[in-house]
Structures are given as C-alpha cells and as structure tokens.
Amino acid sequence: MMATINMQQGYAAILCVLAVLGLEAAAPGECELTRLLQDKLQYEMRLQYMPPCSSLPFQKHYFPIDYTVQVQYEEVLRPSNITRLRNGTVSEAALRYLWFHVSSQAVLRIREVLPEKHPSRKYTQELCQLFDALGKEYSKYRQTDVETVVADLVKLIHSAGAESRSKAVRPKALLDNCLKVMRMLYGVPCRWEST
C-alpha cells in the first residue's frame, strides 16, 4: 500500500512538471521507452496477465469473468478521442502528454485492485517502472504550456468530485486502449514499423 501511495505521489510530481513541458517532437528516449511499453503490452502479454478467470487453469488467481475497475470517465482514452482532439487542433505533444497521464493512471488503478500475491502484480509493476522512466524523460524538455482542453482534462482526472462521473471498465480494455493510442501517437515520430 505504501509503495502505491509513493508511486502516486511520484506520478503527481511528474505530471505537474509535464503540464508545462514542451513535448513537440518525440525524443529518442521517449521512442525507446514507448517501444519497451509496446513490447510489454503485446496481445499475448495482456491476455496472459489480464484474463478473466475462465481462460486459465489457475482460476482463483485471475480476474472474475466480466470483472471491471471503476475509473473516471476522462480516464478512458480511445483512438476516437485522439482523432477528435486532433481535429480540434490539439498538438501531438499535448496528446502524448494526455496519453501518458491517462495510461499511467490506468495502470495504477489496475494495480490497486490486485492482491499482494496476484500473478499479475509483477507485470503491472514493470509497466509502472516504464511509465516512471518515461516521466523522467519528459522532465528534460523545455517548458511551455499545453493546450487548455488537455489541461482541463487532466484537472478533471485529479478533481475529487469526478468520481461521480465514473464508469466500469475491464482491466484488459484499459491496457488495450493504452496500446492503441500509443501506436497512434508514437508510431510515425518514432518510425515504428507497421504493427
């Protein structure tokens, strides 16, 4: 529990820094870290560590069928959201910032519901470490403001009253969205091959 609190405080500090960072181009460090995240989020890994219990023989260790995590409405970031924001002329840099924030929160939400000895705990810890490293990479950038629409979304995610706007989402679906949006935002600038 203390590790989760410390991790959340670390993310909050990183996110405060990110809120004023210029993230215009994906830096080599960003590309390397998101490529590692992409490897960790491959379909086989998501299925192995986020399955419903009926799909594996060790059923008691995995999520029950149709298990969901309560997240704020703004914490679900889909490719369609990115397309809409792009059409609203939000910069790619701000979109990457938003993706980082939403995705790191999603991993923390999943981790919060895992019992200490859950087989997926190590996997989610590795994802958290990659997000920590990505946050440090962003902290090297020069400071500018992100678009108001993105800053407002981040504020909503952090606001105490936003729990009333929550929805139930499957853990695997949160990671599916994380990967799809990451590919949209980093595939071209990082010169990823078609995946």
Side-chain angles (χ1 to χ4, degrees), residues 3-179:
T4 301
I5 292 169
N6 289 339
M7 193 176 310
Q8 288 174 335
Q9 290 171 341
Y11 280 137
I14 290 168
L15 295 173
C16 287
V17 171
L18 286 175
V20 292
L21 293 178
L23 305 174
E24 289 308 316
E30 275 181 89
C31 291
E32 182 181 331
L33 289 165
T34 52
R35 187 178 303 278
L36 290 171
L37 273 167
Q38 180 178 227
D39 291 345
K40 281 279 178 204
L41 291 169
Q42 288 300 321
Y43 177 74
E44 295 78 18
M45 299 283 280
R46 294 191 320 270
L47 189 61
Q48 178 180 350
Y49 291 108
M50 299 289 132
C53 69
S54 63
S55 64
L56 291 173
F58 308 104
Q59 295 180 5
K60 67 179 182 176
H61 294 301
Y62 291 89
F63 295 108
I65 295 172
D66 297 326
Y67 183 82
T68 59
V69 178
Q70 286 297 123
V71 299
Q72 293 175 43
Y73 179 80
E74 294 79 14
E75 289 178 293
V76 178
L77 186 63
R78 295 184 178 100
S80 59
N81 301 120
I82 295 299
T83 301
R84 183 178 46 78
L85 289 167
R86 276 179 172 162
N87 292 341
T89 66
V90 174
S91 70
E92 292 297 301
L95 293 174
R96 289 195 299 269
Y97 161 69
L98 181 62
W99 168 83
F100 168 81
H101 178 72
V102 170
S103 297
S104 60
Q105 288 297 108
V107 172
L108 285 175
R109 294 272 187 181
I110 294 168
R111 195 161 182 269
E112 285 173 357
V113 300
L114 294 175
E116 199 62 41
K117 295 185 178 180
H118 195 283
S120 299
R121 192 123 178 123
K122 184 174 185 284
Y123 173 69
T124 54
Q125 178 62 34
E126 290 167 356
L127 291 175
C128 286
Q129 289 168 347
L130 287 170
F131 277 109
D132 280 341
L134 189 56
K136 289 175 187 167
E137 185 64 32
Y138 284 142
S139 72
K140 298 175 186 174
Y141 288 24
R142 63 167 203 241
Q143 295 185 357
T144 59
D145 292 327
V146 297
E147 281 90 339
T148 304
V149 67
V150 170
D152 289 347
L153 283 170
V154 171
K155 284 179 195 169
L156 273 174
I157 291 169
H158 282 293
S159 67
E163 280 81 23
S164 61
R165 294 176 35 92
S166 69
K167 64 188 296 182
V169 183
R170 289 179 300 111
K172 183 178 170 293
L174 289 171
L175 295 185
D176 291 347
N177 287 333
C178 173
L179 178 64

